[in-house]
Amino acid sequence: MAVNSALAHGTPADTQRGVASFYSDRFQGATTASGDAFDQQALTAAHPSLPFGSKVLVKRPDTGQEVEVLINDRGPYVQGRIIDLSKSAARELGMLKRGVAPVMVTLLN
């Protein structure tokens, strides 16, 4: 979903709605698109287009749980998903058992 089209859903222009997933453990230590080493314990995420270093608030509208993450990678590469989270971020959202969850992603900076 394009950032601007979020207005059709009654959310601010800097908010996207979609599905979040999280990284498999096999990516631990791998180099991200920004050049950082991936760390499952860090509060980081992959997004298809937001600039590296952007901070976003990821919120589950179904539970109210939220987490702030730093964008340092590109992805996800699965249709319908808008953000790929580290395991720590996914834990904050209570989505480890589900694997995916509906989210709102709001650009903070």
Side-chain angles (χ1 to χ4, degrees), residues 28 36-37 53 57 70 85 93-94 99 109:
Q28 178 65 30
D36 296 339
L57 180 69
L70 182 73
L85 304 165
L93 294 178
N109 73 344

Side-chain angles (χ1 to χ4, degrees), residues 34-72:
S34 68
D36 296 339
F38 177 68
D39 181 1
Q40 286 282 34
Q41 302 309 310
L43 295 176
T44 59
H47 188 274
S49 59
L50 289 173
F52 296 136
S54 295
K55 288 185 181 179
V56 298
L57 180 69
V58 183
K59 182 175 182 176
R60 283 188 59 179
D62 60 336
T63 65
Q65 293 167 287
E66 59 187 36
V67 64
E68 187 177 313
V69 296
L70 182 73
I71 303 299
N72 72 342

Side-chain angles (χ1 to χ4, degrees), residues 1 3 10 22 35 37 41-42 46 53 59 62 68-70 73 81 88 101 105-106:
M1 169 187 300
V3 173
F22 65 93
Q41 302 309 310
K59 182 175 182 176
D62 60 336
E68 187 177 313
V69 296
L70 182 73
D73 203 6
R81 296 187 189 172
S88 289
V105 176
T106 303

Side-chain angles (χ1 to χ4, degrees), residues 70-92:
L70 182 73
I71 303 299
N72 72 342
D73 203 6
R74 290 291 173 234
Y77 299 107
V78 175
Q79 182 70 27
R81 296 187 189 172
I82 62 168
I83 196 163
D84 211 3
L85 304 165
S86 66
K87 189 175 269 186
S88 289
R91 185 176 293 114
E92 293 285 324

